[in-house]
Amino acid sequence: MTIVGTGSGRRTGRQDGVVQFQQVGDLELESGSVLPEVTLAYETWGRLAEDGGNAVLVMHALTGDTHVAHGFAGEDAPELTREAAEAPGWWEGLIGPGAAIDTDKYFVVCPNIVGGCYGSTGPSTPAPASADPERRPWGSRFPLVTIRDTVHAEARLADALGIDSWFLVLGGSMGGGRAAEWAVTHPERVRHCAVVASGPAATAEQLAWGQTQSLAIRQDPHYAGGDYYGGTFPVDGLGLARRIAHITYRSDTELHYRFGRHPQGEEDPAGPLAARRGRYRVESYLDHQASKLAGRFDANSYLVVNEALMSHDITRGRGTLREALARTGCGWVIVAVDSDRLFYPKESEALAEALPEPVEVRHVSSPNGHDGFLLETSQLSKILRDCVPGL
Amino acid sequence: MTIVGTGSGRRTGRQDGVVQFQQVGDLELESGSVLPEVTLAYETWGRLAEDGGNAVLVMHALTGDTHVAHGFAGEDAPELTREAAEAPGWWEGLIGPGAAIDTDKYFVVCPNIVGGCYGSTGPSTPAPASADPERRPWGSRFPLVTIRDTVHAEARLADALGIDSWFLVLGGSMGGGRAAEWAVTHPERVRHCAVVASGPAATAEQLAWGQTQSLAIRQDPHYAGGDYYGGTFPVDGLGLARRIAHITYRSDTELHYRFGRHPQGEEDPAGPLAARRGRYRVESYLDHQASKLAGRFDANSYLVVNEALMSHDITRGRGTLREALARTGCGWVIVAVDSDRLFYPKESEALAEALPEPVEVRHVSSPNGHDGFLLETSQLSKILRDCVPGL
């Protein structure tokens, strides 16, 4: 994705779905390191009310970006900016004029996670002169940034935008983890929190899958320890990481019905050489997913946000899950996808049951597995309208 | 594993659990290629009855070997041979004197799959002089050998051993697929067939996981297109393939209870550098699984048997599943592991329901997922005794 922005600082005119930038200063990390001179990229939709009470924070998943829905950049904007603004977003239909999150009423903000590659400071960002006079990309020097760290950065963005508290904090998958972390880290700044297809902490299995994805990238000879920016990018490793992840995002049922054991086109999976046989259709599908991601995402960013997901644990340093959640005072919406086999519905149950005022988990029905959280926007819209007074 | 054999040809003295070799000639493959001068490695336990009616064929899984249970090589055998024979096998307890498959009554044969690296012809085997005057290892030239192809080779082994028909053909995981293929390809030679934690064909999801594992190896720079035998072996790629596979072999419940989110020893998963942080305990576990396999298995063999597993489809060229099975006349035992998420119990159901005389699927209860088929030998013993008259 080409990042087309309108400059930094607080927004003055309404430009929905246009990337903007905010300096949030040096970020002290949980590890004790400091990431200097951090920028957050973000997009907004709608207008912030005078009392600042109508703000909604939407947070993306692992390889997501700031473009949660289409918008408009205005007639005077450059063509590329207009096109980028008008492109459909990754939660199209959930957010917009008249949608469940109605941008005629609410002011929606969607920031890019720290470490990402959609405008926020990440491993491909040139290090500031204070850290590297040559201003080379961070690369291998980029620190581990936890979900909690990124929430701290986002709190500064809220400060800069004049938002004391969010009417609603909402995210799916890793974005759901970020939403939960927001509610626990800044309970006084979150009035409703919607956690979709996510849990209170990355599970052992997610750590295991996470390791395989990181290794897929690190073992690519072009990875060069993370400092590949002057050379060939480790697209094969990134593609393999994506394939592994993508299988966990879907369901075996879907793969069976869409692809079965069919060969891809005229290719012959039967050989004759094991090393050079044709592909099954499901392999072609994974190849497509891999090259799509490799064409739009930075491998180091993948590593860093993958590590962030692995770091996710709202209980870290806060006792039991119940104790960690005791400090929260928001209304909670917990949503699980029934066929999810990466963020199991039982993780959603664990979160819902440990709340100060336990809620019932709402289920999105989907044959697709985890990605149902992105696909089933109608169901999700209905759940949000049912559960969040005012929507 | 060091292969310690006693020479080729039909066995003369009783040496249980000792690797032997049988030449089975040129193997015409489904793809139309020919793999010349194929050798099968195998082990046996017990004695073949005069009428040849007590023979049991046991078939191993993806990275398995011929050593299904311990045995004895006799006092006169070399020490290494004795040690190898006496080592516990991968289905220890299921097979042996007095066990469910009682080697005082039955003659058990366990061959290494074609393409493997435990003595049968595989990619690391020097090509015969007829194919390569320099007798270099097959490497990248090794053909795709389907499950059906390997069954053809095993039928020649049965011929050489004087076994007209097997009392029982038994296997788990890929071995279960081999067992089912035996029953369909040679219906007149199989009296009972036990298919454990396997299905009638590799599923779309198994093809997907299979692709990631093959790519993990192929993308290792030391893989060298498959011709790495003179140089460094692609152990990192093989290790990554194993990690991916191993997660699919276990259950999220097991990973959660065994490892949770604990760090490994004194290591610090929190950083500070994303590229060089400490490990979680579950990562150390996967590292261990990876290096164990890389120390005992050939990467090309992994690719070739992985491709064989992907090729598994007892219906290929035989119509519907029901039509393919209509030719069989054996007694069937279909066993599923309740927590299996690689070979789902529903695959076992599909097989059981399509039989000429449908049977009820028997379930092994295990918290471990697919690997329960290796771990729960007591349950499996009981099921086999219940279902196979004579055991």
Side-chain angles (χ1 to χ4, degrees):
Chain A
M1 181 182 140
T2 310
I3 309 282
V4 181
T6 56
S8 63
R10 187 160 175 179
R11 58 197 297 283
T12 48
R14 179 169 172 179
Q15 282 201 311
D16 285 10
V18 174
V19 180
Q20 302 170 68
F21 301 93
Q22 179 63 50
Q23 315 292 336
V24 298
D26 299 349
L27 192 62
E28 299 78 32
L29 305 171
E30 280 193 85
S31 66
S33 304
V34 174
L35 182 62
E37 302 182 33
V38 172
T39 295
L40 283 191
Y42 65 101
E43 296 184 26
T44 70
W45 293 258
R47 273 186 197 283
L48 184 61
E50 289 284 323
D51 65 359
N54 70 336
V56 172
L57 178 64
V58 180
M59 281 166 302
H60 64 69
L62 194 75
T63 63
D65 59 29
T66 54
H67 200 60
V68 65
H70 79 274
F72 56 91
E75 292 298 318
D76 302 335
E79 192 181 336
L80 274 176
T81 305
R82 288 209 314 274
E83 276 178 14
E86 288 163 16
W90 49 265
W91 240 348
E92 193 67 40
L94 189 69
I95 291 158
I101 299 175
D102 185 348
T103 51
D104 290 338
K105 288 173 65 180
Y106 292 97
F107 176 64
V108 176
V109 180
C110 182
N112 184 216
I113 194 169
V114 177
C117 54
Y118 287 105
S120 290
T121 298
S124 59
T125 308
S130 60
D132 179 358
E134 294 180 49
R135 301 219 58 207
R136 292 164 299 179
W138 280 108
S140 63
R141 302 168 296 170
F142 201 80
L144 193 150
V145 178
T146 67
I147 297 288
R148 202 171 293 176
D149 292 329
T150 215
V151 163
H152 285 305
E154 287 161 357
R156 295 192 194 161
L157 171 64
D159 294 343
L161 293 172
I163 297 162
D164 291 331
S165 82
W166 300 98
F167 170 73
L168 170 63
V169 168
L170 163 69
S173 191
M174 189 173 75
R178 293 162 69 192
E181 184 64 49
W182 250 99
V184 178
T185 301
H186 299 291
E188 74 292 353
R189 302 187 78 168
V190 178
R191 279 171 285 155
H192 296 94
C193 180
V195 179
V196 181
S198 196
T203 64
E205 181 175 279
Q206 287 167 355
L207 297 177
W209 287 129
Q211 189 205 37
T212 63
Q213 292 164 51
S214 286
L215 278 178
I217 294 170
R218 293 198 169 113
Q219 292 183 185
D220 187 314
H222 296 302
Y223 176 61
D227 297 313
Y228 52 77
Y229 292 109
T232 305
F233 280 39
V235 292
D236 288 346
L238 177 59
L240 177 54
R242 181 59 160 191
R243 286 181 182 87
I244 298 167
H246 194 79
I247 303 170
T248 69
Y249 297 160
R250 313 301 287 205
S251 74
D252 74 294
T253 308
E254 181 193 10
L255 296 178
H256 173 70
Y257 282 102
R258 285 179 67 178
F259 308 110
R261 292 184 48 77
H262 297 290
Q264 171 66 12
E266 300 298 306
E267 297 185 35
D268 179 15
L273 287 179
R276 288 193 287 280
R277 64 162 174 79
R279 296 171 301 169
Y280 294 96
R281 200 179 290 170
V282 67
E283 295 182 284
S284 166
Y285 168 70
L286 292 176
D287 289 349
H288 175 67
Q289 298 299 329
S291 69
K292 259 204 320 188
L293 187 81
R296 72 173 177 88
F297 213 80
D298 176 55
N300 269 327
S301 273
Y302 194 97
L303 275 176
V304 166
V305 293
N306 185 43
E307 298 286 345
L309 176 58
M310 292 168 80
S311 80
H312 172 52
D313 184 359
I314 62 173
T315 74
R316 188 165 52 250
R318 293 165 175 165
T320 65
L321 181 56
R322 201 171 292 276
E323 288 163 357
L325 290 164
R327 67 176 77 192
T328 68
C330 60
W332 288 85
V333 185
I334 313 292
V335 184
V337 179
D338 57 1
S339 56
D340 198 324
R341 36 95 169 258
L342 181 60
F343 291 84
Y344 294 95
K346 67 187 173 192
E347 298 299 313
S348 303
E349 299 286 351
L351 177 58
E353 286 165 11
L355 293 173
E357 292 179 34
V359 297
E360 272 206 27
V361 173
R362 298 293 301 257
H363 289 90
V364 165
S365 173
S366 166
N368 302 105
H370 182 61
D371 271 356
F373 92 89
L374 288 170
L375 302 167
E376 301 296 337
T377 47
S378 298
Q379 291 184 59
L380 196 51
S381 294
K382 181 171 184 328
I383 291 170
L384 289 173
R385 282 187 160 124
D386 284 355
C387 299
V388 182
L391 287 192
Chain B
M1 180 183 142
T2 311
I3 309 281
V4 181
T6 56
S8 64
R10 187 161 175 177
R11 57 199 298 284
T12 47
R14 179 167 171 178
Q15 282 201 311
D16 284 11
V18 174
V19 180
Q20 302 170 68
F21 300 93
Q22 178 63 49
Q23 315 292 336
V24 298
D26 298 350
L27 193 61
E28 299 79 30
L29 305 172
E30 280 194 84
S31 66
S33 303
V34 174
L35 182 62
E37 301 183 33
V38 172
T39 296
L40 283 191
Y42 66 100
E43 297 185 24
T44 69
W45 293 258
R47 273 185 197 285
L48 184 61
E50 290 284 323
D51 65 359
N54 71 335
V56 173
L57 178 64
V58 180
M59 280 165 303
H60 63 70
L62 195 75
T63 64
D65 59 29
T66 54
H67 200 60
V68 65
H70 79 274
F72 56 92
E75 293 298 317
D76 302 336
E79 191 180 335
L80 274 176
T81 305
R82 288 208 314 274
E83 275 177 17
E86 288 162 17
W90 50 265
W91 241 348
E92 192 68 38
L94 188 70
I95 290 158
I101 297 174
D102 187 348
T103 50
D104 289 339
K105 287 173 65 181
Y106 292 97
F107 177 64
V108 176
V109 180
C110 182
N112 184 215
I113 194 169
V114 177
C117 53
Y118 288 104
S120 290
T121 298
S124 59
T125 307
S130 60
D132 179 358
E134 294 181 47
R135 301 218 60 208
R136 291 163 301 179
W138 280 108
S140 64
R141 301 169 295 170
F142 201 81
L144 194 149
V145 179
T146 66
I147 298 287
R148 201 172 292 175
D149 293 328
T150 216
V151 163
H152 284 305
E154 287 161 358
R156 295 192 194 160
L157 172 64
D159 295 341
L161 293 172
I163 297 163
D164 291 331
S165 80
W166 300 97
F167 170 73
L168 170 65
V169 168
L170 163 70
S173 193
M174 189 173 75
R178 292 162 69 190
E181 185 64 50
W182 249 100
V184 178
T185 300
H186 298 292
E188 73 293 351
R189 302 187 77 168
V190 177
R191 278 172 286 156
H192 296 94
C193 180
V195 179
V196 181
S198 196
T203 63
E205 181 176 278
Q206 287 167 356
L207 297 177
W209 287 130
Q211 190 205 38
T212 64
Q213 292 164 51
S214 286
L215 278 178
I217 293 170
R218 294 197 169 116
Q219 293 184 186
D220 187 316
H222 296 303
Y223 176 62
D227 297 313
Y228 52 77
Y229 291 109
T232 305
F233 280 40
V235 291
D236 288 345
L238 178 59
L240 177 54
R242 180 60 160 189
R243 286 180 181 88
I244 298 167
H246 193 79
I247 302 170
T248 69
Y249 297 160
R250 313 301 288 206
S251 73
D252 74 294
T253 308
E254 179 192 12
L255 296 177
H256 173 70
Y257 282 102
R258 285 180 68 177
F259 308 110
R261 292 185 46 79
H262 298 291
Q264 172 65 10
E266 301 297 308
E267 297 184 36
D268 179 14
L273 286 179
R276 287 193 288 280
R277 64 164 175 78
R279 295 172 302 170
Y280 295 94
R281 200 177 292 170
V282 67
E283 294 182 283
S284 166
Y285 168 71
L286 292 177
D287 289 348
H288 175 67
Q289 299 299 329
S291 69
K292 260 204 319 188
L293 187 80
R296 73 174 176 88
F297 213 81
D298 176 54
N300 269 327
S301 273
Y302 194 97
L303 276 177
V304 166
V305 292
N306 185 44
E307 298 286 345
L309 175 58
M310 292 168 80
S311 80
H312 172 52
D313 183 359
I314 61 173
T315 74
R316 187 166 50 251
R318 294 165 176 164
T320 66
L321 181 56
R322 202 172 292 276
E323 287 163 357
L325 289 165
R327 69 177 75 191
T328 68
C330 59
W332 287 86
V333 186
I334 313 292
V335 184
V337 179
D338 58 1
S339 56
D340 198 324
R341 35 97 168 256
L342 181 60
F343 291 83
Y344 295 95
K346 67 186 172 193
E347 296 300 313
S348 303
E349 298 286 351
L351 177 58
E353 285 165 12
L355 293 173
E357 293 179 33
V359 298
E360 272 206 27
V361 173
R362 298 293 301 256
H363 289 90
V364 165
S365 173
S366 166
N368 301 104
H370 182 61
D371 271 356
F373 92 89
L374 288 169
L375 302 167
E376 302 295 337
T377 47
S378 297
Q379 292 183 59
L380 197 50
S381 294
K382 181 172 184 324
I383 291 169
L384 288 174
R385 282 187 161 124
D386 284 355
C387 299
V388 182
L391 288 192

